[in-house]
Structure formats: C-alpha cells, structure tokens
C-alpha cells in the first residue's frame, strides 16, 4: 500500500510540492516531442527538472523493441525490469509530468494503469505550471535511483489491438474517439508520417485533444463531462486513438476525470491503422 494517497488521477503543483519529500513518492519526467522536432527530452530533463524527477523513456527504453510501430507498450517483463531500474516499487506513488503542460505525461499514466499500478497521477500543467508557481528546480547529472522490484500485471481491458478493434467498430456498446486534429480526422490535412492514408475509422468520432486542455491544463470536470456526453453514452466503452498512441491517452485520462470507467487505448493508432490497405478508412 502506498503511504501517499493521491486525491485524483490529476494533481496540482501545490499538492506535489507539499508531498515531494514523501519517501514513497516518485516523480517522472515523461516529456516527448513529435518526430522532426529538434529537441531532446532527456537533455532537457538534465538541464531542468522537478527535484528528484527521473526520466521515463517510453519512446525508447520502455517500449516494445520487436514492433515496427513507435513506442508500443512493452511486455510485462520488459516494463517490470525498466520500472524496477528506476527505483519504482509496488508501493510507490507516481506523479508524471511533461514539459508541454499536458501532452505526453498521460501516456505514462496509461502505461502504469495498463500494467496494474493504480497509484499514478499526472501533474496538471506540467513543468510550466510548476515553474510558474515558483517551485524549485534542479539540473545536472541525477543520482542513480536505488533499484527496486516492480512486478507488472497486464490489464487487457486498458488496451486493444487492431484486429479486435476492427471487429468492434459496429458494436453499439463501443465508441471510438480520435484525438487527432479535426483536419487529419476528415482527411483535409495529410498525415505527418509518410505513407499514411488520410481520414478516419468508420463509426469513429473526432475529439481533438486540444478541446480538453487550455493553457497546458485540463478543463474542469464539468466541461470534460460535457465533451464526452456530447459524443457518447454514459455506459459505452470508450476506445481512444490518435496518431501513434500518445495523445489518445490525454482523452483516456480526461474521460476518467469525467467519471467514465470503461476506457481503452488503441496502442497502434493511426500509425498502424492508416498504413497499408488492410483496415477500412473513410473521410
């Protein structure tokens, strides 16, 4: 059991500052930038981070090495090993942030939930909000964490593959929500990855992740609830997709904040669905 109890899957800079010294609290920097961006998240973590924050490389080290798709969820064994090396234990309370505000941190929140660890939250507003509040930073080489023993327990309800999703598209009990910009959803703007078809899955609805955040922070719970109620029924299973499985997790976290509890991320997302001609695409 974690000693530190999270108030929500989303915490404020003030809450984090008040609990930063707790021995069971682990802070992770999960910053990531879109391909082609001339920024290195690990170098930026080294230059400026929340005190004690450890870098979580979900795009490289903590991803499936055998997949041709970007940053796919790894096996239980690989996840367990990588997380143990970061000094994260079964009783750890984890707070994840990124340098955008809210962008890639929810991906790591979802990874821990999919691997059976529920004591995890995202820092609302990320590093910019922490800095704006005047809280301390550190830089330079970080002390290597004391390795722990973490055992992942895969939770299949949090994840769906392309074949299963294809079979569920006509299921009225499910609703696919796409986090990509509307222009990409409707095929009026080309995909940034080469060789991708334009458009969206049949029966999917557009919910750009930018409609759920403002100034790097999530909208309040009532606004989030209204966004999801406008596109889905309360009892539907929500399946989230995006370009490569990162911003889909923003939707997943927002849906949990809004009180939804049947949440699934399509890990391959458009990087898989939009390549080749195997799966149906509409515009």
């Amino acid at each position: 059991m974690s000693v530190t109890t999270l108030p929500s899957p989303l915490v404020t800079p003030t809450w984090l500052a008040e609990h930063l010294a707790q021995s069971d609290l682990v802070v992770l920097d999960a910053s990531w930038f879109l391909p082609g961006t001339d920024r290195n998240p690990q170098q930026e973590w080294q230059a400026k981070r929340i005190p004690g924050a450890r870098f979580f490389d979900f795009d490289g080290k903590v991803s499936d090495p055998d997949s041709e798709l970007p940053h796919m969820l790894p096996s239980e064994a690989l996840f367990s090993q990588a997380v143990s090396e970061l000094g994260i234990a079964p009783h750890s309370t984890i707070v994840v942030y990124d340098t955008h505000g809210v962008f890639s941190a929810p991906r790591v929140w979802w990874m821990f939930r999919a691997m059976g660890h529920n004591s995890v939250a995202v820092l609302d507003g990320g590093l910019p909000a922490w800095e704006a509040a005047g809280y301390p930073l550190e830089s330079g080489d970080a002390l290597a964490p004391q390795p722990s023993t973490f055992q992942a327990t895969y939770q299949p309800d949090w994840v769906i593959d392309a074949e299963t999703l294809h079979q569920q598209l006509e299921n009225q009990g499910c609703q696919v929500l796409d986090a990509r910009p509307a222009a990409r959803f409707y095929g009026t703007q080309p995909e940034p990855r080469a060789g991708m078809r334009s458009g969206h899955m049949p029966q999917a609805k557009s919910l750009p992740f930018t409609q759920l955040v403002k100034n790097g922070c999530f909208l309040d719970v009532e606004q989030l609830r209204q966004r999801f109620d406008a596109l889905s029924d309360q009892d539907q299973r929500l399946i989230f997709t995006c370009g490569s499985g990162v911003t889909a997790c923003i939707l997943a976290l927002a849906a949990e904040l809004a009180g939804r509890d049947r949440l699934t991320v399509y890990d391959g997302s458009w990087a898989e669905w939009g390549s080749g001609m195997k799966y149906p695409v509409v515009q």
Side-chain angles (χ1 to χ4, degrees), residues 226-242:
Q226 289 172 6
R227 296 286 195 277
F228 288 103
D229 287 351
L231 296 171
S232 62
D233 295 331
Q234 187 69 33
D235 59 351
Q236 281 183 308
R237 177 189 185 189
L238 300 181
I239 302 172
F240 308 106
T241 183
C242 61

Side-chain angles (χ1 to χ4, degrees), residues 72-74 107 110-116 153-162 164-165 168 237-240 249 262-269 272:
M72 291 287 284
L73 192 69
R107 169 74 186 187
W110 167 77
M111 291 175 74
F112 275 96
R113 295 296 297 273
M115 288 296 179
T153 305
Y154 181 66
Q155 306 293 310
D157 286 352
W158 277 100
V159 191
I160 194 167
D161 61 29
T164 308
L165 177 54
Q168 295 296 320
R237 177 189 185 189
L238 300 181
I239 302 172
F240 308 106
C249 299
R262 299 180 65 209
L263 313 176
T264 303
V265 170
Y266 170 33
D267 200 10
S269 283
E272 179 177 36

Side-chain angles (χ1 to χ4, degrees), residues 135-191:
Y135 293 123
L137 298 164
E138 69 177 18
S139 61
D141 293 335
L143 290 173
Q146 185 71 30
S148 186
T149 304
F150 183 94
Q151 181 56 58
T153 305
Y154 181 66
Q155 306 293 310
D157 286 352
W158 277 100
V159 191
I160 194 167
D161 61 29
E163 285 299 325
T164 308
L165 177 54
H166 189 199
Q167 295 166 13
Q168 295 296 320
L169 288 179
E170 300 294 334
N171 182 351
Q172 297 299 307
C174 298
Q175 180 58 60
V176 178
L177 298 177
D178 193 321
R180 293 176 301 156
R184 286 168 60 190
F185 180 87
Y186 291 109
T188 58
Q189 176 184 321
E191 287 296 307

Side-chain angles (χ1 to χ4, degrees), residues 8-10 124 212 218-229 253-260:
S8 155
L10 192 68
D124 200 20
L212 304 176
F218 276 101
L219 301 179
D220 65 50
V221 169
E222 186 52 40
Q223 289 175 299
L224 294 176
R225 191 173 290 124
Q226 289 172 6
R227 296 286 195 277
F228 288 103
D229 287 351
L253 177 52
E256 176 147 311
L257 293 169
R260 298 301 184 94

Side-chain angles (χ1 to χ4, degrees), residues 37-203:
T37 306
D38 189 24
R39 293 175 68 179
N40 183 309
Q42 194 154 4
Q43 288 179 358
E44 293 192 16
W45 162 79
Q46 218 166 7
K48 183 171 64 176
R49 61 182 176 268
I50 293 174
R54 303 161 200 184
F55 186 73
F56 193 94
D57 182 12
F58 72 83
D59 192 46
K61 186 172 183 178
V62 199
S63 63
D64 182 357
D66 300 320
S67 177
E68 296 179 356
L69 297 168
H71 41 249
M72 291 287 284
L73 192 69
S75 66
E76 284 180 333
L78 192 155
F79 189 88
S80 298
Q81 180 183 350
V83 167
S84 296
E85 289 173 0
L86 283 170
I88 298 171
H91 64 271
S92 296
T93 294
I94 302 165
V95 175
V96 194
Y97 74 88
D98 61 59
T99 54
H100 292 272
V102 170
F103 183 60
S104 52
R107 169 74 186 187
V108 175
W109 168 84
W110 167 77
M111 291 175 74
F112 275 96
R113 295 296 297 273
M115 288 296 179
H117 191 85
N118 294 332
S119 187
V120 57
V122 166
L123 178 63
D124 200 20
L127 190 63
W130 177 267
E131 280 194 88
Y135 293 123
L137 298 164
E138 69 177 18
S139 61
D141 293 335
L143 290 173
Q146 185 71 30
S148 186
T149 304
F150 183 94
Q151 181 56 58
T153 305
Y154 181 66
Q155 306 293 310
D157 286 352
W158 277 100
V159 191
I160 194 167
D161 61 29
E163 285 299 325
T164 308
L165 177 54
H166 189 199
Q167 295 166 13
Q168 295 296 320
L169 288 179
E170 300 294 334
N171 182 351
Q172 297 299 307
C174 298
Q175 180 58 60
V176 178
L177 298 177
D178 193 321
R180 293 176 301 156
R184 286 168 60 190
F185 180 87
Y186 291 109
T188 58
Q189 176 184 321
E191 287 296 307
R193 287 180 173 81
M196 295 289 110
R197 291 181 290 166
S198 295
H200 58 270
M201 300 172 200
Q203 314 304 326

Side-chain angles (χ1 to χ4, degrees), residues 204-224:
K205 293 181 180 179
S206 176
L207 181 57
F209 77 90
T210 51
Q211 293 186 8
L212 304 176
V213 297
K214 184 177 182 181
N215 299 325
C217 296
F218 276 101
L219 301 179
D220 65 50
V221 169
E222 186 52 40
Q223 289 175 299
L224 294 176

